[in-house]
Amino acid sequence: MLLVVPRAVKYCAAVVVVSLQLHANPPWIHLSAASSIEEEEEEEEEEEVRQRISIKPTDFISWLFSVLPPDCPPLGLESLNVDDSQIQASSYQRSGLGPHRGRLNIQSGIEDGDLYDGAWCAEFKDKHQWLEVDAIHLTLFTGVILQGRNSIWSWDWVETYKVQLSNDSVSWKTCMNGTQEAIFEGNQNPETPVLGLLPVPTVARFIRINPQTWYFNGTVCLRAEILGCRVPDPDDIYSSAPEPGSKDALDFRHHNYKEMRKLMKSVTEECPDITRVYTIGKSYTGLKLYVMEISDNPGKHELGEPEFRYVAGMHGNEALGRELVLNLMQYMCKEYKKGNQRIVRLVTETRIHLLPSMNPDGYEVAYEKGSELAGWAEGRYSFEGIDLNHNFPDLNNIMWDAQETAADPSKVSNHYIPIPEYYTKEDAMVAPETRAVISWMQDIPFVLSANLHGGELVVTYPFDCTRDWAPQENTPTADDAFFRWLATVYASTNLVMVDPDRRICHYEDFQGHNNIINGGAWHTVPGSMNDFSYLHTNCFEVTVELSCDKFPHVSELPIEWENNKESLLVYMEQVHRGIKGVVKDKITKQGIADAVIKVEDHDHDIRSAADGDYWRLLNPGEYKVVVWAEGYFPSMRRCHVGMEPNPTICDFTLTKTPIQRLKEIRAKGGKVPQDLQLRLRALRGHKKTF
């Protein structure tokens, strides 16, 4: 049976023919383009069909919209779901400005003229230029999002445009607004995305953006995203292929502040024995910085159990990390209840802290705009306009400067570097969010962390800041080998990063580096959280750039969870590599806080926690470890680290020096024992000082 959709419900003046094979629930509907039909023939055919079947044209339209989402998602120009081969153009100036560069939010290289400029730019400045996208399948197109050219040298954008549609890329119909060709408003600057909704959603396979006017001092350049829902088509051999997604029953959507809080509460209600929600402070506008703790003894540090953290949302518009952290807390709760041994082991052997939104003020700004309209920077900064990833104290240069001026650089502290005085003043440009996280770091003896970002696909590791302010320079830490291992663990298990055929996000190809890179070798970041964490606390931290798209559409969240699920879990498990133990007093058997643990040939020390326990992340090997504390004789052990992801236990017992024992006895007003008097006399005879 054939049904021609009458003019009243035509999509953008294109004639759509419908073939129905009636089944009980629902009818399969096939859409195809009809050849041009004269008005009389069209009316006769419509009448004939009405007489032969009972379904009304308006019923079909209702059914079509019932099986498609109310808001059609992006085809995926920004997320790279649309392949370069699907994008064509009437002309282009050169390969670096080819149609494959016409993707929303794509970033250009530093130099104009290379292969990676920030837009498609037509060779000619006339109204006959177009950018074409092949959706591959029949698609209900609903809108276009346009952006100008990303460049530090040129200003180019399209101010108005038309939209054309086709089923064969030969015959084209211009989208109409009533009886006139629709003219869509474009951009007024290069970066702000502008949405143009089609007057009537239109079914086709191909869509063209046809610029009409552009910035008077520029040329025809644009970046775009297309909104559209795939239409069911039984003749499409790929239509029965399952859509990529996740089997995990998680809350896959973008959560604003209130929704995030509700979700975290629901997890604690589902798993009260292993979860706890607490706050570490507030944002500038008063939004609380919520943390989810997952542990078999929530709220308590257990002796010998390492502390782990994930931090997301430092840049408010990089929303994927926030959702992955929320997914992770739901997943761990559900899997723990199921008895998943891997999750049970993580929960019982690790104290896990999840901060989904370090910059909630910025996120709310981006959330209000939406995933495609927030642009590249909307919501990135705090309410005060501060980039939180440049807002921590720059301890790198304090350490390097001290080493350069010291008579013996080996005597300069390489860890627990104090916060400089200028940073602690009330008028210092320090965000309350940053202060809250620093206090959090100081309160809990974190061992391992990752900071989740977006906009690229790479894992970076310290140092982020370069020496002498070089814009790019490999700047390794004393633990470079282990940091490379940490970065590789995440990158090698990320399903997108390991894809050898994946397209680069913007202009840098990290696959040649196995998708990991030293932070300073990428670009210098003074005052980063990674560097501060390493130099002020015991914690090792890397940055994970999770996706090309900073704010993926909600429809992409399930597959992004699958891309990152294994990486998130296996990275947490690395907290159990290396050595760990307890540093105790020989007499009292009490733990010694702030004991320094020094590993030979590793010019970075760590310290024991309040109870005397410590964790030192190390690659497999044999290590000479020396531990010392104020008032104690040092102790040395050789510790072996195996290939298994289990820490080697290396406990230390320290003996107090005679001088320290004397100080403590005198402080209590006690009598000095005879053995101590003899020891002190012997030491004075050897002219030793402590």
Side-chain angles (χ1 to χ4, degrees), residues 10-15 139-144 161-166 171-185 196-204 206-210 212 226-227:
K10 285 179 190 171
Y11 293 121
C12 278
V15 179
T139 300
L140 182 70
F141 292 111
T142 60
V144 172
Y161 62 97
K162 295 180 181 179
V163 172
Q164 299 169 337
L165 297 128
S166 172
S171 301
W172 291 87
K173 294 291 184 179
T174 300
C175 191
M176 306 294 289
N177 189 5
T179 59
Q180 296 182 334
E181 293 184 340
I183 301 294
F184 296 86
E185 293 294 327
L197 291 173
L198 275 59
V200 181
T202 307
V203 173
F206 301 89
I207 185 169
R208 279 182 178 177
I209 301 168
N210 174 212
Q212 297 297 294
I226 307 296
L227 305 182

Side-chain angles (χ1 to χ4, degrees), residues 525-546:
V525 182
S528 78
M529 186 162 75
N530 287 357
D531 289 2
F532 176 81
S533 184
Y534 182 68
L535 293 175
H536 186 68
T537 77
N538 290 334
C539 190
F540 287 32
E541 184 167 351
V542 303
T543 290
V544 182
E545 298 283 348
L546 293 161

Side-chain angles (χ1 to χ4, degrees), residues 278-280 301 307 309 351 353 416 435-446 536-537 609-610:
Y278 64 97
T279 63
I280 60 172
H301 171 73
E307 309 264 358
R309 71 170 182 261
R351 191 178 179 210
H353 306 258
Y416 271 50
R435 294 189 188 277
V437 169
I438 289 176
S439 179
W440 185 40
M441 291 179 177
Q442 293 171 333
D443 289 344
I444 296 176
F446 290 112
H536 186 68
T537 77

